[in-house]
Amino acid sequence: MTLVRHELRQGKLSFLIWTASIGFLLAICIFLFPEMKGQMESVNDVFASMGSFTEAFGMDRLNFGSLVGFYSVECGNVLGLGGAFYAALCAVGMLSKEEKDKTAEFLLTHPVSRRRIITEKLIAVLIQITAMNLIIYAISVGSIAAVGEEIPWKEINLMHLAYYLLQLELAGICFGISAFLRKGSAGVGLGIATMMYFLNLVANIADVAGFLKYITPFGYCEGADIVTDGSLDITLVAIGAVIGIAGIVIAYLNYTKKDIH
């Protein structure tokens, strides 16, 4: 597991920055809630009259006067986008950086198979994403307790689980793409995460584009759906799992045969 430890050390600064940033923003949103709670009835009326914009973020089905409704939109966007960006960046450069940094020749001269290299790099990605989510979950629950609000355990757990699965799916997709790249991977990762986010907005606004929910992992992370149904959409989650696993399989197939310079 030497390569795993190496990747974790190499990605430590990025991990700390992203985790601290997302955790800090989540805590700020939660600490603002008690001050804003009394004003949320008027906010609900404003959002209800904003048409497509309201539907895009699922705000037409949530009560901003409740912690769950507020958390779903405000904290959900922070965790959704922040987590997606980090997962994509973490995975998309994992296999390509050896060629970009001119270290591939050094790595491949060691008595380690390419399959083992891929496996250990994948494990490093999963450890970083999992650790970030555990820390952020603790910050979130701790912040809710600190402001004296009752913790809606079921909704909070489901939302954090959904965003964790989203990050794993994006990481799988970007890990697969990483096997084909030789340099300039950061922009690709951010672009994929952003595209997935906006595909979900389009699916929310236009009924004719509803099929996009089956493409983007943000489709099963809708706070309004989770709060209303009290569960995740298993069909969308299963499709997302297949897509993420397919990305990983593609990474193995391509990287083991790739002509690495």
Side-chain angles (χ1 to χ4, degrees), residues 95-120:
L95 295 176
S96 62
K97 65 182 178 181
E98 304 299 341
E99 291 183 86
K100 178 184 176 184
D101 298 336
K102 308 300 182 183
T103 57
E105 183 176 347
F106 172 77
L107 177 63
L108 296 175
T109 55
H110 286 69
V112 180
S113 69
R114 290 197 185 188
R115 287 185 180 277
R116 183 174 174 183
I117 291 173
I118 299 171
T119 300
E120 294 203 21

PDB file of all heavy atoms in Angstrom, residues 95-120:
ATOM      1  N   LEU A  95      -4.584   9.183 -12.695  1.00  0.00           N
ATOM      2  CA  LEU A  95      -3.803   8.327 -13.598  1.00  0.00           C
ATOM      3  C   LEU A  95      -3.002   9.137 -14.620  1.00  0.00           C
ATOM      4  O   LEU A  95      -1.978   8.675 -15.113  1.00  0.00           O
ATOM      5  CB  LEU A  95      -4.728   7.350 -14.334  1.00  0.00           C
ATOM      6  CG  LEU A  95      -5.443   6.315 -13.455  1.00  0.00           C
ATOM      7  CD1 LEU A  95      -6.398   5.474 -14.300  1.00  0.00           C
ATOM      8  CD2 LEU A  95      -4.446   5.424 -12.732  1.00  0.00           C
ATOM      9  N   SER A  96      -3.486  10.336 -14.928  1.00  0.00           N
ATOM     10  CA  SER A  96      -2.828  11.126 -15.980  1.00  0.00           C
ATOM     11  C   SER A  96      -1.626  11.911 -15.475  1.00  0.00           C
ATOM     12  O   SER A  96      -0.756  12.293 -16.259  1.00  0.00           O
ATOM     13  CB  SER A  96      -3.837  12.095 -16.606  1.00  0.00           C
ATOM     14  OG  SER A  96      -4.322  13.006 -15.642  1.00  0.00           O
ATOM     15  N   LYS A  97      -1.553  12.151 -14.165  1.00  0.00           N
ATOM     16  CA  LYS A  97      -0.510  13.045 -13.667  1.00  0.00           C
ATOM     17  C   LYS A  97       0.893  12.460 -13.785  1.00  0.00           C
ATOM     18  O   LYS A  97       1.878  13.209 -13.811  1.00  0.00           O
ATOM     19  CB  LYS A  97      -0.786  13.431 -12.220  1.00  0.00           C
ATOM     20  CG  LYS A  97      -0.736  12.295 -11.220  1.00  0.00           C
ATOM     21  CD  LYS A  97      -1.084  12.804  -9.828  1.00  0.00           C
ATOM     22  CE  LYS A  97      -1.090  11.681  -8.812  1.00  0.00           C
ATOM     23  NZ  LYS A  97      -1.458  12.196  -7.471  1.00  0.00           N
ATOM     24  N   GLU A  98       0.993  11.131 -13.867  1.00  0.00           N
ATOM     25  CA  GLU A  98       2.322  10.540 -13.999  1.00  0.00           C
ATOM     26  C   GLU A  98       2.976  10.948 -15.316  1.00  0.00           C
ATOM     27  O   GLU A  98       4.176  11.215 -15.369  1.00  0.00           O
ATOM     28  CB  GLU A  98       2.236   9.009 -13.910  1.00  0.00           C
ATOM     29  CG  GLU A  98       1.580   8.480 -12.657  1.00  0.00           C
ATOM     30  CD  GLU A  98       2.298   8.878 -11.379  1.00  0.00           C
ATOM     31  OE1 GLU A  98       3.486   9.256 -11.458  1.00  0.00           O
ATOM     32  OE2 GLU A  98       1.693   8.809 -10.291  1.00  0.00           O
ATOM     33  N   GLU A  99       2.181  11.017 -16.376  1.00  0.00           N
ATOM     34  CA  GLU A  99       2.711  11.471 -17.663  1.00  0.00           C
ATOM     35  C   GLU A  99       2.900  12.983 -17.681  1.00  0.00           C
ATOM     36  O   GLU A  99       3.874  13.493 -18.223  1.00  0.00           O
ATOM     37  CB  GLU A  99       1.778  11.043 -18.795  1.00  0.00           C
ATOM     38  CG  GLU A  99       1.763   9.545 -19.025  1.00  0.00           C
ATOM     39  CD  GLU A  99       0.888   9.149 -20.195  1.00  0.00           C
ATOM     40  OE1 GLU A  99       1.388   9.160 -21.339  1.00  0.00           O
ATOM     41  OE2 GLU A  99      -0.296   8.849 -19.959  1.00  0.00           O
ATOM     42  N   LYS A 100       1.950  13.679 -17.063  1.00  0.00           N
ATOM     43  CA  LYS A 100       2.038  15.142 -17.022  1.00  0.00           C
ATOM     44  C   LYS A 100       3.277  15.599 -16.263  1.00  0.00           C
ATOM     45  O   LYS A 100       3.974  16.534 -16.672  1.00  0.00           O
ATOM     46  CB  LYS A 100       0.778  15.711 -16.360  1.00  0.00           C
ATOM     47  CG  LYS A 100       0.788  17.217 -16.224  1.00  0.00           C
ATOM     48  CD  LYS A 100      -0.451  17.697 -15.483  1.00  0.00           C
ATOM     49  CE  LYS A 100      -0.404  19.196 -15.268  1.00  0.00           C
ATOM     50  NZ  LYS A 100      -1.560  19.677 -14.466  1.00  0.00           N
ATOM     51  N   ASP A 101       3.568  14.940 -15.130  1.00  0.00           N
ATOM     52  CA  ASP A 101       4.699  15.329 -14.293  1.00  0.00           C
ATOM     53  C   ASP A 101       5.997  14.606 -14.655  1.00  0.00           C
ATOM     54  O   ASP A 101       7.005  14.738 -13.948  1.00  0.00           O
ATOM     55  CB  ASP A 101       4.370  15.055 -12.815  1.00  0.00           C
ATOM     56  CG  ASP A 101       3.180  15.875 -12.332  1.00  0.00           C
ATOM     57  OD1 ASP A 101       2.913  16.927 -12.939  1.00  0.00           O
ATOM     58  OD2 ASP A 101       2.515  15.451 -11.365  1.00  0.00           O
ATOM     59  N   LYS A 102       5.941  13.782 -15.729  1.00  0.00           N
ATOM     60  CA  LYS A 102       7.120  13.056 -16.212  1.00  0.00           C
ATOM     61  C   LYS A 102       7.664  12.061 -15.166  1.00  0.00           C
ATOM     62  O   LYS A 102       8.878  11.854 -15.062  1.00  0.00           O
ATOM     63  CB  LYS A 102       8.233  14.040 -16.611  1.00  0.00           C
ATOM     64  CG  LYS A 102       7.810  15.134 -17.577  1.00  0.00           C
ATOM     65  CD  LYS A 102       7.297  14.576 -18.885  1.00  0.00           C
ATOM     66  CE  LYS A 102       6.913  15.700 -19.858  1.00  0.00           C
ATOM     67  NZ  LYS A 102       6.330  15.193 -21.116  1.00  0.00           N
ATOM     68  N   THR A 103       6.760  11.460 -14.391  1.00  0.00           N
ATOM     69  CA  THR A 103       7.185  10.478 -13.386  1.00  0.00           C
ATOM     70  C   THR A 103       6.747   9.058 -13.760  1.00  0.00           C
ATOM     71  O   THR A 103       6.970   8.124 -12.985  1.00  0.00           O
ATOM     72  CB  THR A 103       6.597  10.830 -12.004  1.00  0.00           C
ATOM     73  OG1 THR A 103       5.167  10.902 -12.110  1.00  0.00           O
ATOM     74  CG2 THR A 103       7.135  12.163 -11.509  1.00  0.00           C
ATOM     75  N   ALA A 104       6.107   8.893 -14.904  1.00  0.00           N
ATOM     76  CA  ALA A 104       5.601   7.576 -15.305  1.00  0.00           C
ATOM     77  C   ALA A 104       6.725   6.560 -15.461  1.00  0.00           C
ATOM     78  O   ALA A 104       6.609   5.410 -15.031  1.00  0.00           O
ATOM     79  CB  ALA A 104       4.815   7.704 -16.611  1.00  0.00           C
ATOM     80  N   GLU A 105       7.832   6.985 -16.084  1.00  0.00           N
ATOM     81  CA  GLU A 105       8.937   6.058 -16.312  1.00  0.00           C
ATOM     82  C   GLU A 105       9.502   5.549 -14.988  1.00  0.00           C
ATOM     83  O   GLU A 105       9.796   4.356 -14.830  1.00  0.00           O
ATOM     84  CB  GLU A 105      10.041   6.747 -17.122  1.00  0.00           C
ATOM     85  CG  GLU A 105      11.192   5.830 -17.475  1.00  0.00           C
ATOM     86  CD  GLU A 105      12.225   6.514 -18.349  1.00  0.00           C
ATOM     87  OE1 GLU A 105      11.933   7.606 -18.878  1.00  0.00           O
ATOM     88  OE2 GLU A 105      13.326   5.951 -18.486  1.00  0.00           O
ATOM     89  N   PHE A 106       9.624   6.453 -14.007  1.00  0.00           N
ATOM     90  CA  PHE A 106      10.130   6.055 -12.689  1.00  0.00           C
ATOM     91  C   PHE A 106       9.183   5.076 -12.010  1.00  0.00           C
ATOM     92  O   PHE A 106       9.601   4.057 -11.450  1.00  0.00           O
ATOM     93  CB  PHE A 106      10.317   7.301 -11.816  1.00  0.00           C
ATOM     94  CG  PHE A 106      10.648   6.995 -10.383  1.00  0.00           C
ATOM     95  CD1 PHE A 106      11.921   6.594 -10.021  1.00  0.00           C
ATOM     96  CD2 PHE A 106       9.664   7.079  -9.399  1.00  0.00           C
ATOM     97  CE1 PHE A 106      12.234   6.297  -8.695  1.00  0.00           C
ATOM     98  CE2 PHE A 106       9.967   6.787  -8.074  1.00  0.00           C
ATOM     99  CZ  PHE A 106      11.251   6.393  -7.724  1.00  0.00           C
ATOM    100  N   LEU A 107       7.879   5.365 -12.064  1.00  0.00           N
ATOM    101  CA  LEU A 107       6.889   4.516 -11.396  1.00  0.00           C
ATOM    102  C   LEU A 107       6.828   3.128 -12.017  1.00  0.00           C
ATOM    103  O   LEU A 107       6.795   2.115 -11.316  1.00  0.00           O
ATOM    104  CB  LEU A 107       5.508   5.183 -11.475  1.00  0.00           C
ATOM    105  CG  LEU A 107       4.328   4.391 -10.893  1.00  0.00           C
ATOM    106  CD1 LEU A 107       4.522   4.179  -9.399  1.00  0.00           C
ATOM    107  CD2 LEU A 107       3.018   5.137 -11.162  1.00  0.00           C
ATOM    108  N   LEU A 108       6.823   3.072 -13.345  1.00  0.00           N
ATOM    109  CA  LEU A 108       6.629   1.794 -14.031  1.00  0.00           C
ATOM    110  C   LEU A 108       7.874   0.913 -14.056  1.00  0.00           C
ATOM    111  O   LEU A 108       7.800  -0.247 -14.456  1.00  0.00           O
ATOM    112  CB  LEU A 108       6.136   2.054 -15.462  1.00  0.00           C
ATOM    113  CG  LEU A 108       4.760   2.723 -15.556  1.00  0.00           C
ATOM    114  CD1 LEU A 108       4.426   3.033 -17.009  1.00  0.00           C
ATOM    115  CD2 LEU A 108       3.683   1.839 -14.943  1.00  0.00           C
ATOM    116  N   THR A 109       9.028   1.459 -13.635  1.00  0.00           N
ATOM    117  CA  THR A 109      10.226   0.629 -13.549  1.00  0.00           C
ATOM    118  C   THR A 109      10.238  -0.208 -12.272  1.00  0.00           C
ATOM    119  O   THR A 109      11.040  -1.146 -12.153  1.00  0.00           O
ATOM    120  CB  THR A 109      11.506   1.491 -13.589  1.00  0.00           C
ATOM    121  OG1 THR A 109      11.438   2.478 -12.552  1.00  0.00           O
ATOM    122  CG2 THR A 109      11.662   2.158 -14.944  1.00  0.00           C
ATOM    123  N   HIS A 110       9.361   0.105 -11.337  1.00  0.00           N
ATOM    124  CA  HIS A 110       9.278  -0.666 -10.103  1.00  0.00           C
ATOM    125  C   HIS A 110       8.544  -1.987 -10.370  1.00  0.00           C
ATOM    126  O   HIS A 110       7.733  -2.086 -11.300  1.00  0.00           O
ATOM    127  CB  HIS A 110       8.540   0.133  -9.022  1.00  0.00           C
ATOM    128  CG  HIS A 110       9.362   1.244  -8.442  1.00  0.00           C
ATOM    129  ND1 HIS A 110       9.712   2.365  -9.162  1.00  0.00           N
ATOM    130  CD2 HIS A 110       9.910   1.406  -7.207  1.00  0.00           C
ATOM    131  CE1 HIS A 110      10.441   3.179  -8.400  1.00  0.00           C
ATOM    132  NE2 HIS A 110      10.574   2.609  -7.207  1.00  0.00           N
ATOM    133  N   PRO A 111       8.826  -3.007  -9.552  1.00  0.00           N
ATOM    134  CA  PRO A 111       8.174  -4.322  -9.749  1.00  0.00           C
ATOM    135  C   PRO A 111       6.723  -4.313  -9.278  1.00  0.00           C
ATOM    136  O   PRO A 111       6.334  -5.061  -8.380  1.00  0.00           O
ATOM    137  CB  PRO A 111       9.038  -5.254  -8.889  1.00  0.00           C
ATOM    138  CG  PRO A 111       9.560  -4.372  -7.800  1.00  0.00           C
ATOM    139  CD  PRO A 111       9.811  -3.040  -8.450  1.00  0.00           C
ATOM    140  N   VAL A 112       5.935  -3.451  -9.903  1.00  0.00           N
ATOM    141  CA  VAL A 112       4.524  -3.311  -9.544  1.00  0.00           C
ATOM    142  C   VAL A 112       3.709  -3.339 -10.832  1.00  0.00           C
ATOM    143  O   VAL A 112       4.030  -2.624 -11.795  1.00  0.00           O
ATOM    144  CB  VAL A 112       4.251  -1.971  -8.802  1.00  0.00           C
ATOM    145  CG1 VAL A 112       2.776  -1.870  -8.441  1.00  0.00           C
ATOM    146  CG2 VAL A 112       5.106  -1.869  -7.551  1.00  0.00           C
ATOM    147  N   SER A 113       2.682  -4.171 -10.876  1.00  0.00           N
ATOM    148  CA  SER A 113       1.874  -4.267 -12.085  1.00  0.00           C
ATOM    149  C   SER A 113       1.008  -3.029 -12.268  1.00  0.00           C
ATOM    150  O   SER A 113       0.724  -2.302 -11.304  1.00  0.00           O
ATOM    151  CB  SER A 113       0.975  -5.502 -12.019  1.00  0.00           C
ATOM    152  OG  SER A 113      -0.032  -5.332 -11.023  1.00  0.00           O
ATOM    153  N   ARG A 114       0.604  -2.816 -13.496  1.00  0.00           N
ATOM    154  CA  ARG A 114      -0.267  -1.661 -13.761  1.00  0.00           C
ATOM    155  C   ARG A 114      -1.605  -1.811 -13.046  1.00  0.00           C
ATOM    156  O   ARG A 114      -2.191  -0.823 -12.600  1.00  0.00           O
ATOM    157  CB  ARG A 114      -0.489  -1.499 -15.267  1.00  0.00           C
ATOM    158  CG  ARG A 114       0.746  -1.041 -16.011  1.00  0.00           C
ATOM    159  CD  ARG A 114       0.378  -0.517 -17.385  1.00  0.00           C
ATOM    160  NE  ARG A 114       1.557  -0.177 -18.163  1.00  0.00           N
ATOM    161  CZ  ARG A 114       1.516   0.442 -19.342  1.00  0.00           C
ATOM    162  NH1 ARG A 114       0.336   0.770 -19.859  1.00  0.00           N
ATOM    163  NH2 ARG A 114       2.618   0.726 -20.000  1.00  0.00           N
ATOM    164  N   ARG A 115      -2.082  -3.036 -12.943  1.00  0.00           N
ATOM    165  CA  ARG A 115      -3.354  -3.251 -12.240  1.00  0.00           C
ATOM    166  C   ARG A 115      -3.242  -2.825 -10.772  1.00  0.00           C
ATOM    167  O   ARG A 115      -4.160  -2.240 -10.218  1.00  0.00           O
ATOM    168  CB  ARG A 115      -3.766  -4.725 -12.332  1.00  0.00           C
ATOM    169  CG  ARG A 115      -4.269  -5.134 -13.702  1.00  0.00           C
ATOM    170  CD  ARG A 115      -4.783  -6.560 -13.694  1.00  0.00           C
ATOM    171  NE  ARG A 115      -5.273  -6.951 -15.011  1.00  0.00           N
ATOM    172  CZ  ARG A 115      -6.484  -6.676 -15.461  1.00  0.00           C
ATOM    173  NH1 ARG A 115      -7.340  -6.029 -14.692  1.00  0.00           N
ATOM    174  NH2 ARG A 115      -6.854  -7.069 -16.677  1.00  0.00           N
ATOM    175  N   ARG A 116      -2.105  -3.127 -10.177  1.00  0.00           N
ATOM    176  CA  ARG A 116      -1.918  -2.729  -8.781  1.00  0.00           C
ATOM    177  C   ARG A 116      -1.814  -1.214  -8.657  1.00  0.00           C
ATOM    178  O   ARG A 116      -2.321  -0.632  -7.709  1.00  0.00           O
ATOM    179  CB  ARG A 116      -0.666  -3.392  -8.209  1.00  0.00           C
ATOM    180  CG  ARG A 116      -0.456  -3.066  -6.735  1.00  0.00           C
ATOM    181  CD  ARG A 116       0.685  -3.831  -6.134  1.00  0.00           C
ATOM    182  NE  ARG A 116       0.943  -3.392  -4.777  1.00  0.00           N
ATOM    183  CZ  ARG A 116       1.935  -3.859  -4.023  1.00  0.00           C
ATOM    184  NH1 ARG A 116       2.746  -4.794  -4.503  1.00  0.00           N
ATOM    185  NH2 ARG A 116       2.114  -3.399  -2.804  1.00  0.00           N
ATOM    186  N   ILE A 117      -1.163  -0.583  -9.622  1.00  0.00           N
ATOM    187  CA  ILE A 117      -1.068   0.882  -9.612  1.00  0.00           C
ATOM    188  C   ILE A 117      -2.466   1.496  -9.664  1.00  0.00           C
ATOM    189  O   ILE A 117      -2.794   2.395  -8.885  1.00  0.00           O
ATOM    190  CB  ILE A 117      -0.219   1.371 -10.809  1.00  0.00           C
ATOM    191  CG1 ILE A 117       1.244   0.990 -10.615  1.00  0.00           C
ATOM    192  CG2 ILE A 117      -0.351   2.890 -10.962  1.00  0.00           C
ATOM    193  CD1 ILE A 117       2.116   1.280 -11.823  1.00  0.00           C
ATOM    194  N   ILE A 118      -3.290   1.002 -10.587  1.00  0.00           N
ATOM    195  CA  ILE A 118      -4.659   1.514 -10.714  1.00  0.00           C
ATOM    196  C   ILE A 118      -5.433   1.279  -9.424  1.00  0.00           C
ATOM    197  O   ILE A 118      -6.127   2.178  -8.924  1.00  0.00           O
ATOM    198  CB  ILE A 118      -5.387   0.821 -11.888  1.00  0.00           C
ATOM    199  CG1 ILE A 118      -4.677   1.092 -13.204  1.00  0.00           C
ATOM    200  CG2 ILE A 118      -6.832   1.318 -11.971  1.00  0.00           C
ATOM    201  CD1 ILE A 118      -5.206   0.261 -14.357  1.00  0.00           C
ATOM    202  N   THR A 119      -5.319   0.075  -8.868  1.00  0.00           N
ATOM    203  CA  THR A 119      -6.070  -0.271  -7.663  1.00  0.00           C
ATOM    204  C   THR A 119      -5.688   0.615  -6.492  1.00  0.00           C
ATOM    205  O   THR A 119      -6.559   1.125  -5.769  1.00  0.00           O
ATOM    206  CB  THR A 119      -5.835  -1.748  -7.292  1.00  0.00           C
ATOM    207  OG1 THR A 119      -6.260  -2.583  -8.377  1.00  0.00           O
ATOM    208  CG2 THR A 119      -6.615  -2.126  -6.042  1.00  0.00           C
ATOM    209  N   GLU A 120      -4.402   0.814  -6.281  1.00  0.00           N
ATOM    210  CA  GLU A 120      -3.968   1.629  -5.145  1.00  0.00           C
ATOM    211  C   GLU A 120      -4.324   3.098  -5.334  1.00  0.00           C
ATOM    212  O   GLU A 120      -4.680   3.792  -4.380  1.00  0.00           O
ATOM    213  CB  GLU A 120      -2.468   1.453  -4.917  1.00  0.00           C
ATOM    214  CG  GLU A 120      -2.100   0.047  -4.465  1.00  0.00           C
ATOM    215  CD  GLU A 120      -0.782  -0.021  -3.708  1.00  0.00           C
ATOM    216  OE1 GLU A 120      -0.332   1.014  -3.189  1.00  0.00           O
ATOM    217  OE2 GLU A 120      -0.201  -1.119  -3.643  1.00  0.00           O
TER     218      GLU A 120
END
